[in-house]
Amino acid sequence: MEEMIKERLSDREINYVQVFIGTERGCNPEEGEYSLTMGGFIGALNLDAPGGVDDISLVIDAIKNHVDFSNLPEEGSTEVILKESGEWEDVFWHKYYEIDRLTKYSA
């Protein structure tokens, strides 16, 4: 039986994703009243992961769980740069995205 080799993020290219959160006057981002637009990415995103989690779902989870929607501009755009990360749990790789940078632009 072959020995398992665990890959490290430092040994390969890391994905970066740029997403814009759009907010409008009269809407409540805390209630999900905002838009998400992907601006671009560096790397190779998995857009279709049968039986697993695709990168777009992981990006949306990171935004929902780590952005303070009460602190977004009333009207404008917020640029969020996310960086791929993850951790090993036994033989399973749990991939996720972390917020690398957040910039607010008011209208």
Side-chain angles (χ1 to χ4, degrees), residues 21-23 28-36 63-64 69 72:
I21 303 171
T23 50
N28 185 352
E30 294 177 272
E31 296 294 324
E33 297 174 349
Y34 58 86
S35 63
L36 289 179
I63 289 171
K64 286 182 177 179
F69 287 95
L72 296 181

Side-chain angles (χ1 to χ4, degrees), residues 11 21 35 71 73 83 88 91 104:
D11 294 340
I21 303 171
S35 63
N71 199 20
K83 177 181 174 181
W88 284 100
V91 296
K104 300 173 196 173

Side-chain angles (χ1 to χ4, degrees), residues 13 17 22 24 30-32 36 47 51-52 62 66 75 82 94 98 106:
E13 183 178 321
V17 181
E24 296 180 9
E30 294 177 272
E31 296 294 324
L36 289 179
L47 302 178
H66 300 290
E75 188 166 357
L82 300 110
H94 295 284
E98 299 175 333
S106 295

Side-chain angles (χ1 to χ4, degrees), residues 11-66:
D11 294 340
R12 66 177 186 81
E13 183 178 321
I14 297 173
N15 291 331
Y16 283 87
V17 181
Q18 176 191 42
V19 176
F20 291 95
I21 303 171
T23 50
E24 296 180 9
R25 191 174 318 279
C27 293
N28 185 352
E30 294 177 272
E31 296 294 324
E33 297 174 349
Y34 58 86
S35 63
L36 289 179
T37 306
M38 180 181 285
F41 62 92
I42 298 172
L45 298 182
N46 180 355
L47 302 178
D48 181 30
V53 180
D54 60 275
D55 283 304
I56 299 301
S57 296
L58 294 173
V59 165
I60 291 170
D61 284 346
I63 289 171
K64 286 182 177 179
N65 293 322
H66 300 290

